[in-house]
Amino acid sequence: MQKQNWKDVGELAGITAILVGLVFVYLEIQQNGIVARASLASGTSDQIDSIYQQLSDPQFAGVYSKSLQFPESLTESERMQLNGFFSRFMPMFGRERILYRLGLWESPDAVTRTFAPTFFADGYGSIWWSVRKETVTSDMVLAIDNAIAAPIERAQIGLAEFDEQILQKLPE
């Protein structure tokens, strides 16, 4: 073979190697995006799990139950507990919107739609939100207000309604 032919074969092999490398980089980026989404979803899942763990604490469950039925009779200490509990949701909702803007989540308010009606639709949670919404961004207010005002689906019923449904099923 002549020198020119070897040079052409070498260039073709180099171009092929570059193209294979670019395909590999593309696939790696896609895979990293999937892993990032899973990791971020796991973080939200862990947050939601810790919120429900707090609700299962007998002392806090009593305070929360009281907040649903008799919010006006809460002591200052109980209100402080509830204020801290409800405040845990706001960073989660804000984080969801940031991740959506970064292109990592497909919806800007799936968590908001699911949890805002559950915790802010009745009792002290409703009162807390009516005061707190003056301190958050307008798009967050709109998202939470829309979630609360939307027809509540079975999976999004408030805890008081859920408890009432359970009580109806209990044998006498």
Side-chain angles (χ1 to χ4, degrees):
M1 254 181 143
Q2 293 182 354
K3 195 175 187 179
Q4 182 63 33
N5 287 344
W6 284 109
K7 182 180 173 188
D8 291 343
V9 169
E11 285 179 7
L12 183 60
I15 290 171
T16 303
I18 289 171
L19 290 176
V20 168
L22 288 174
V23 168
F24 176 75
V25 167
Y26 171 78
L27 293 174
E28 191 68 26
I29 289 171
Q30 290 294 102
Q31 184 178 7
N32 287 345
I34 292 168
V35 169
R37 282 187 195 91
S39 174
L40 293 168
S42 173
T44 298
S45 179
D46 290 345
Q47 252 184 320
I48 292 167
D49 185 50
S50 74
I51 287 166
Y52 279 113
Q53 268 187 329
Q54 185 176 356
L55 274 173
S56 67
D57 172 40
Q59 181 197 11
F60 184 76
V63 171
Y64 192 80
S65 178
K66 184 178 176 182
S67 81
L68 292 172
Q69 297 170 359
F70 310 106
E72 67 284 347
S73 68
L74 292 167
T75 67
E76 184 178 356
S77 173
E78 292 169 336
R79 286 193 310 272
M80 290 298 124
Q81 278 185 293
L82 290 164
N83 292 344
F85 176 75
F86 291 127
S87 294
R88 293 178 71 187
F89 288 96
M90 301 316 291
M92 188 169 62
F93 296 155
R95 178 176 179 264
E96 177 182 47
R97 302 180 88 66
I98 290 168
L99 295 175
Y100 171 73
R101 284 188 212 113
L102 292 174
L104 297 173
W105 277 13
E106 294 180 12
S107 168
D109 59 359
V111 173
T112 305
R113 279 193 323 267
T114 302
F115 291 96
T118 301
F119 293 101
F120 300 139
D122 49 27
Y124 187 78
S126 175
I127 298 165
W128 184 90
W129 173 244
S130 69
V131 172
R132 177 64 198 263
K133 70 181 180 180
E134 296 180 18
T135 65
V136 297
T137 61
S138 59
D139 67 325
M140 181 73 76
V141 170
L142 186 62
I144 293 175
D145 281 348
N146 286 343
I148 293 170
I152 298 176
E153 298 174 12
R154 180 169 285 284
Q156 296 176 329
I157 62 174
L159 293 179
E161 290 87 3
F162 184 68
D163 187 53
E164 186 62 36
Q165 288 179 9
I166 291 172
L167 283 174
Q168 291 173 2
K169 300 281 185 187
L170 288 175
E172 293 289 326

